[in-house]
Amino acid sequence: MSNIVDVPVGPQHPALKEPLNITCYVDGEQVVGAKLRIGYNHRGIEKAGEYQTFIQNLYIAERICGICGIVHAFDLAQATEHIIGKEIPRRADYLRTIGLELNRIHSHLLWLGVAAHEIGFDTLFMYVWRDREVVMDVIEDFTGNRVTYALVTIGGVRRDLPQEKAEKMLRVMDALEETVKKYKEMCLNEKTIRMRCDGVGVLRKEDAIALCAVGPTIRASGVPFDIRADDPHAAYDEIPFKVVTYDTCDVTARILVRIDETLESINIVREAIKKMPSGPIRARLPRAVPVGEGVGRTEAPRGEVIHYVRSNGTDRPFRWKVRAPTLANLLSIPVMLTSKGDYVVYIADVPITFASIDPCLSCTDRAVKFVDVSSGKSWVWTFSQIKRMYWKDKPCWRERP
Amino acid sequence: MTLEEELVSKLKERFGDRILEAKVQRARRIFVTVDRSAYKDVIRFLRNDVGVTHVSTISGVDAIDHFEVIPHLSYKGIVVSVRAIVPKDKPEIDTITDVIPGALFYEKEVHEMFGIDIKGHPDLTHLELPDDWPEGLYPLRKDVKLEELFRRITKERD
């Protein structure tokens, strides 16, 4: 097998959270294997957390992920509340639910834009990001910030949702539903999308289960694994919603899962506003947390997030462990990027396959180093160069099964 | 009997004294403490006989007088946290990657953060720390202070 070439993809992209290096083993045009290396942006937050109080940690937790900030703060607060053993006001649960779902809507739309960009469909990217801006405005209206919301606190939330803001939110949700339905129509019927995504990045159901994939990645492989339904937290026990699954296991399925989930999220926000009881939004809980341990989990836009917190009776955690969903989904990438039998992976499919798990990083202009093993010669290409090289002249260069 | 209680009694019935403690903390949260020698058997029992397929993560804890390795397994919405006690003078534990392949990265993380040897793990290279990280410096151990971490990382880089 002397003609196998190593193609290291990544790692540097300073703008995003988790730079990642994938070494693709390439035989001609086909990717025959892949290996991962992460950790280029390890920040030591778990260690830092042991030196800060629980309240301070909430704000560090929000900065774990700039896109789904509410999720991490919520999880830490949930685990801490489990240790304290007090229930929080019901209205706070509903407000948290609204926050989590708005997070999901804007994250899924952001991803849809990125995915469109990765397959070279920049018009869709522009449209989707324009409409995402509306959601960002609603979030700002509700929490005071576009990102790092500082909404959740231990014992409840910090901001209420007055009637007039709720009504405005409902109006935006109505308009957004129409747009998202249009996008779904577009993704189902647009030939460009279908040709680039059907049968690409396949993760079979049994692989997804064995590798413990989470979120839209496992749901697009036909497994109804959703923490909101399985382990109802916040107000999800009182709000009916559908767990979206598709069973084609490819990138198209992941696109459709996310679009359908956006529609479900819009309904959850509506339902939450309708059912929200009046009352206090925060319970005063002690700053020093009693001895004990707690596990908080929730369904982030990318999948299950789990926080494990141990307290030794002080106001600082003894141990705080965080697992973000991208780490759980990374193991699936080498499987998606390995040609096997009838399933063939091409170099041009690497960006969208990688982007399809919605990693907390982008492929745009990621440097790619090509090494020709036989001559020892190596050169660097950016993803945009690959796109030009492989897509421009041959829009339909590959036969689809 | 709730699903949580049923699971705890199943474990107690099967493993008896090898389960040191098993309690239902609240709805959908179970904490089980096991002897290190029973750790892998418990995971294998949960995988093969109960039908747990998902490991959410593995938490390592430096509890001052011993280490703890805690895989958080997910079963029908219940988080089953299986705590294995690992003595400090012999920090090693069996791998569970052959039972649940999805645990691969989490075990690597426990290894590099706490210096616990995962016996039988296929690839114990660094996951999050850089390749030139100082040998034998395990950042999440309680005796490693922030000042020491900073000093050793900057010194060895210069």
Side-chain angles (χ1 to χ4, degrees), chain A residues 37-39 46-47 50-51 82 210 212 214 230-232 293 295 297 304 308 310 318-319 321 323 328, chain B residues 25-26 28-29 54 56 59-60 62 68 74 77 83 102 106 109 127-129 131 139 141-142 144:
Chain A
R37 175 76 174 98
I38 62 165
E46 289 178 17
K47 185 79 175 175
E50 293 173 8
Y51 290 79
H82 284 183
C212 303
V214 295
D230 295 349
D231 184 1
E293 58 193 342
V295 175
R297 34 175 213 171
E304 176 199 33
Y308 170 75
R310 169 92 60 99
F318 182 74
R319 173 87 171 98
K321 161 84 188 158
R323 202 273 282 131
Chain B
Q25 184 204 29
R26 55 185 292 135
R28 299 182 299 278
R29 296 286 184 275
H54 186 82
S56 295
S59 301
D62 180 352
E68 289 172 12
S74 182
R83 184 199 328 274
Y106 310 136
E109 198 180 4
L127 176 74
E128 280 155 4
L129 301 178
D131 291 332
R141 284 193 180 181
K142 285 285 177 186
V144 177

Side-chain angles (χ1 to χ4, degrees), chain A residues 27-186:
Chain A
D27 183 358
E29 283 288 310
Q30 297 184 9
V31 183
V32 292
K35 209 180 130 207
L36 293 171
R37 175 76 174 98
I38 62 165
Y40 294 95
N41 234 354
H42 186 246
R43 291 171 289 174
I45 281 183
E46 289 178 17
K47 185 79 175 175
E50 293 173 8
Y51 290 79
Q52 313 287 334
T53 65
F54 282 96
I55 296 285
Q56 287 171 324
N57 277 334
L58 282 174
Y59 302 98
I60 297 182
E62 286 218 328
R63 280 147 183 86
I64 290 174
C65 180
I67 299 171
C68 45
I70 291 183
V71 168
H72 287 281
F74 169 78
D75 253 19
L76 177 59
Q78 191 193 18
T80 314
E81 284 152 11
H82 284 183
I83 302 175
I84 298 172
K86 291 244 169 65
E87 293 302 317
I88 67 161
R90 205 60 191 141
R91 188 175 173 86
D93 275 339
Y94 274 86
L95 289 168
R96 285 175 172 190
T97 309
I98 293 172
L100 288 168
E101 291 308 316
L102 288 174
N103 239 203
R104 189 180 328 276
I105 294 170
H106 100 76
S107 174
H108 279 355
L109 290 179
L110 177 134
W111 177 83
L112 184 60
V114 172
H117 174 69
E118 290 306 333
I119 58 174
F121 191 0
D122 276 348
T123 319
L124 182 59
F125 163 67
M126 300 286 180
Y127 274 118
V128 172
W129 277 43
R130 180 198 65 184
D131 294 326
R132 171 179 170 264
E133 214 46 39
V134 181
V135 189
M136 299 302 276
D137 290 345
V138 169
I139 294 178
E140 188 180 6
D141 197 32
F142 173 29
T143 67
N145 290 309
R146 279 167 61 89
V147 287
T148 53
Y149 316 94
L151 175 72
V152 178
T153 189
I154 294 167
V157 292
R158 294 177 63 239
R159 286 172 85 106
D160 205 350
L161 183 66
Q163 188 61 32
E164 65 271 17
K165 284 188 181 179
E167 277 163 15
K168 187 183 163 198
M169 198 182 274
L170 286 174
R171 281 198 302 275
V172 171
M173 289 301 130
D174 288 346
L176 194 68
E177 191 178 27
E178 289 306 306
T179 343
V180 176
K181 277 183 178 159
K182 208 169 70 198
Y183 291 140
K184 186 179 178 189
E185 193 78 359
M186 202 185 284

Side-chain angles (χ1 to χ4, degrees), chain B residues 39-123:
Chain B
Y39 167 69
K40 194 163 179 175
D41 293 338
V42 170
I43 302 289
R44 198 177 279 132
F45 171 74
L46 288 170
R47 170 73 185 84
N48 296 339
D49 298 315
V50 182
V52 178
T53 53
H54 186 82
V55 56
S56 295
T57 189
I58 302 179
S59 301
V61 179
D62 180 352
I64 312 292
D65 49 356
H66 59 263
F67 291 119
E68 289 172 12
V69 174
I70 315 174
H72 305 282
L73 306 157
S74 182
Y75 170 65
K76 292 184 181 169
I78 303 172
V79 183
V80 190
S81 304
V82 182
R83 184 199 328 274
I85 309 286
V86 179
K88 282 216 160 166
D89 52 353
K90 205 177 172 209
E92 56 179 42
I93 195 158
D94 289 325
T95 179
I96 58 167
T97 47
D98 47 348
V99 186
I100 303 177
L104 193 84
F105 279 178
Y106 310 136
E107 288 194 339
K108 276 172 93 157
E109 198 180 4
V110 170
H111 169 73
E112 70 176 356
M113 293 295 171
F114 293 93
I116 297 171
D117 189 24
I118 313 286
K119 284 194 294 183
H121 191 282
D123 173 28

Side-chain angles (χ1 to χ4, degrees), chain A residues 14 85 93 110 249 252 320 400:
Chain A
D93 275 339
L110 177 134
C249 308
T252 313
W320 172 34
R400 292 285 174 193

